[in-house]
Amino acid sequence: MYRELLVKINIQGSKDQGSGCLYQPNSEKFTYVLTAKHCLTKDENKIVFTQEEIKLIIVTRDTGERLEVTSCYVKDNLDLAVLKVKILDDLPAVLAIEPIRNMNFLLKGYPKYLMGYDESCVITGKIIDVSLYDEYFELECSKSLESFDNNAKDNTVGFSGSGVFFELEGDFKLIGILTRLKDPNGTYSRLKAIKVSCINQFLLEMNLEPLIPFELYSFKKYLPESFSNCGKAKVVFEECFSNGVKGITPYNIFESLGEKMFLPYDKENQLLFKDNLWIGWIKLLTHLHIEENSTINISNINDYIYLNETDRKKENKKRFFYTYKFNHLGDCIQHIFVSIYDDIKYGDCIIINSEKRFMSFDLGRDLLEKIVREIDEVELYKNKIDIDNPNAYKNISIYHIDVIEQFLREKKIDFLTIKESKDIIKEELRGVFQNVN
């Protein structure tokens, strides 16, 4: 995937060569090219590029496609440049995250010694130092940067500006932009790269969109399919979402919950760009707006559903999980009691959204207790769960987000007027929340 993000940087009339990384922010007009400033100019203090200078910047994709640069943003004493090119509609969604010590990395760039061959090379290794107070982090390569023919400096000229990625099972996350060798001689094969947080700070200073993929910037992409199975009620739900949910984005939710959006927890956030994940959140937020008869926004969302334990009100007892793995509520309950029991509070209402179709959409308390009793006794003992103690079940309840759609089908809502549909929806939602609370 990262090959699709790779670009080569040249300056017309110069023999120098560098690398860059494509990134699609929240824009329908342009795409970013992230690179090192010194790939464009040797003047560290340069802060303005004229239109004539911008025309000299040659950006070429790995496919050979040349991209026209329309704008260039740089800052003095910061080895970073952000270019704008006309929007590309074939880029994969990429999450930009902060580097962590001992995290593996890979980067791909165009070393100068291969100039003329249009070939790129990969460098892999491990992050060995990340300082809270430094704009840059340090990388150690898994192999020596020296070769029989060239020293480390000669072998790495041209890699500057490359995107530095963390990869797990084919899922790539951008963690920085390569700028230079740690020291001029390439001692210990160590490199320096600029952090994502520093890049975002620079973008905000320039009044540009930060490195947040458009898939997480709003719910717009997911709304058309969110209520497609609701018949006539689709119009009602879409209207309620548009009017009753304000200023909340997928990124807000991801920032607050992270791995805890998923069941099982997804520490690497590999499921973050699954459409059904965010379709579920649209449904839930809409249901909450209707049931509470209140506008749901970023300042009060935690009053209604768990996002942040610190700000959680006592009456807030709803937790929302998306699962790609499970296809039955019983499987979810078993996992909760075995793996995340301590995170669940007494009286929680657990709402499940899933990639797979569930056979049942809610569980009564008797069935829930029966499922827990079938869990391996050793596993329960490890979590200090005494199933003979009624409090061990924490008085939790669980249902699937699509239980509402099931109710609406049973009510044959398509034969009702819009007004009648609204009344039925409100009644059913109140009934669901009352039954599980």
Side-chain angles (χ1 to χ4, degrees):
M1 182 189 79
Y2 63 95
R3 181 169 183 165
E4 301 170 59
L5 306 172
L6 177 65
V7 293
K8 180 168 53 179
I9 307 289
N10 297 98
I11 304 298
Q12 188 173 321
S14 171
K15 294 183 179 180
D16 292 333
Q17 181 167 289
S19 302
C21 176
L22 294 168
Y23 193 93
Q24 185 56 55
N26 181 45
S27 172
E28 296 179 353
K29 296 182 178 180
F30 61 83
T31 297
Y32 287 148
V33 177
L34 310 174
T35 188
K37 180 180 175 179
H38 76 258
C39 293
L40 308 180
T41 177
K42 290 181 169 48
D43 183 356
E44 294 181 2
N45 298 314
K46 189 176 181 65
I47 58 173
V48 176
F49 277 73
T50 67
Q51 282 301 311
E52 290 303 314
E53 289 173 317
I54 291 174
K55 289 179 181 178
L56 298 177
I57 302 172
I58 302 171
V59 178
T60 311
R61 297 188 74 175
D62 201 51
T63 58
E65 177 188 5
R66 181 168 170 176
L67 307 178
E68 181 183 355
V69 181
T70 59
S71 305
C72 177
Y73 301 86
V74 294
K75 184 180 178 181
D76 60 337
N77 300 319
L78 184 65
D79 196 6
L80 173 70
V82 177
L83 310 176
K84 281 184 181 179
V85 297
K86 186 178 179 180
I87 188 167
L88 302 169
D89 58 10
D90 61 345
L91 292 185
V94 176
L95 186 65
I97 64 173
E98 282 296 274
I100 300 172
R101 194 169 183 271
N102 291 324
M103 178 185 277
N104 293 327
F105 78 86
L106 64 80
L107 60 89
K108 192 172 187 179
Y110 289 95
K112 188 176 179 180
Y113 71 85
L114 290 177
M115 194 171 182
Y117 293 93
D118 289 329
E119 293 185 14
S120 54
C121 287
V122 174
I123 294 177
T124 61
K126 182 184 293 185
I127 297 172
I128 60 171
D129 186 42
V130 181
S131 172
L132 186 64
Y133 307 103
D134 194 348
E135 297 164 333
Y136 300 88
F137 61 101
E138 188 175 335
L139 310 96
E140 184 175 69
C141 303
S142 55
K143 295 181 180 179
S144 174
L145 295 175
E146 296 181 346
S147 64
F148 180 78
D149 297 318
N150 297 318
N151 58 30
K153 182 177 180 180
D154 290 337
N155 279 338
T156 54
V157 171
F159 274 105
S160 295
S162 299
V164 183
F165 292 90
F166 167 67
E167 184 267 339
L168 181 68
E169 297 178 0
D171 181 54
F172 292 84
K173 294 178 175 61
L174 181 66
I175 56 177
I177 295 295
L178 183 69
T179 54
R180 63 183 188 273
L181 290 166
K182 183 186 178 184
D183 67 75
N185 296 319
T187 306
Y188 303 118
S189 296
R190 293 182 179 179
L191 306 166
K192 299 282 277 188
I194 193 166
K195 293 189 286 191
V196 163
S197 58
C198 182
I199 299 172
N200 275 334
Q201 182 180 347
F202 168 79
L203 291 169
L204 293 173
E205 288 174 1
M206 296 291 173
N207 294 315
L208 297 172
E209 297 286 355
L211 300 185
I212 300 174
F214 73 94
E215 288 88 347
L216 301 184
Y217 216 86
S218 80
F219 285 103
K220 181 179 178 180
K221 172 187 176 183
Y222 312 104
L223 186 57
E225 295 299 318
S226 295
F227 304 107
S228 58
N229 295 324
C230 295
K232 187 182 289 185
K234 180 178 188 290
V235 178
V236 178
F237 282 127
E238 288 181 344
E239 178 188 45
C240 290
F241 179 80
S242 298
N243 295 333
V245 180
K246 301 292 184 182
I248 300 173
T249 70
Y251 194 74
N252 296 145
I253 295 166
F254 165 66
E255 274 194 308
S256 296
L257 289 175
E259 64 179 38
K260 294 186 177 182
M261 291 190 296
F262 308 99
L263 198 72
Y265 290 170
D266 178 20
K267 293 183 179 180
E268 309 302 338
N269 299 303
Q270 291 179 280
L271 304 173
L272 197 57
F273 297 109
K274 291 289 184 184
D275 286 2
N276 281 344
L277 166 65
W278 301 114
I279 285 173
W281 275 97
I282 289 176
K283 292 178 180 179
L284 178 66
L285 294 171
T286 305
H287 294 173
L288 289 173
H289 159 65
I290 295 172
E291 193 265 339
E292 298 287 344
N293 194 29
S294 176
T295 299
I296 311 297
N297 56 51
I298 194 62
S299 62
N300 69 9
I301 183 175
N302 206 59
D303 295 348
Y304 305 110
I305 186 162
Y306 165 77
L307 278 192
N308 186 309
E309 197 69 63
T310 304
D311 298 331
R312 173 177 164 141
K313 291 189 174 182
K314 290 182 179 179
E315 63 269 21
N316 172 18
K317 296 180 179 180
K318 298 181 180 72
R319 290 179 185 267
F320 193 46
F321 293 109
Y322 165 82
T323 181
Y324 189 83
K325 178 178 180 179
F326 302 127
N327 59 4
H328 192 280
L329 289 177
D331 298 331
C332 297
I333 283 293
Q334 290 193 4
H335 179 80
I336 287 168
F337 273 76
V338 170
S339 301
I340 60 170
Y341 182 78
D342 290 341
D343 289 345
I344 304 301
K345 307 305 179 186
Y346 189 87
D348 274 352
C349 167
I350 297 167
I351 307 165
I352 300 295
N353 174 31
S354 63
E355 189 69 24
K356 301 173 183 177
R357 177 76 175 172
F358 272 39
M359 297 300 294
S360 59
F361 294 102
D362 59 358
L363 289 180
R365 296 192 189 279
D366 290 344
L367 183 54
L368 187 151
E369 291 185 11
K370 181 181 178 181
I371 291 170
V372 174
R373 288 182 177 276
E374 292 176 353
I375 298 174
D376 189 292
E377 186 178 357
V378 175
E379 295 293 343
L380 293 173
Y381 181 80
K382 288 179 183 177
N383 284 329
K384 301 179 180 178
I385 300 174
D386 178 8
I387 58 174
D388 293 324
N389 180 353
N391 289 329
Y393 299 97
K394 294 189 175 182
N395 195 35
I396 65 173
S397 54
I398 184 169
Y399 76 91
H400 194 284
I401 190 71
D402 288 339
V403 70
I404 302 300
E405 294 179 10
Q406 182 189 42
F407 284 150
L408 295 180
R409 284 193 291 271
E410 292 173 356
K411 294 287 183 179
K412 299 181 179 179
I413 199 168
D414 278 346
F415 297 97
L416 305 177
T417 66
I418 295 293
K419 183 181 183 306
E420 289 172 333
S421 298
K422 282 185 176 181
D423 293 338
I424 287 289
I425 290 168
K426 288 180 181 179
E427 179 186 340
E428 294 299 340
L429 280 169
R430 291 193 183 103
V432 168
F433 286 125
Q434 286 172 2
N435 287 337
V436 298
N437 285 337

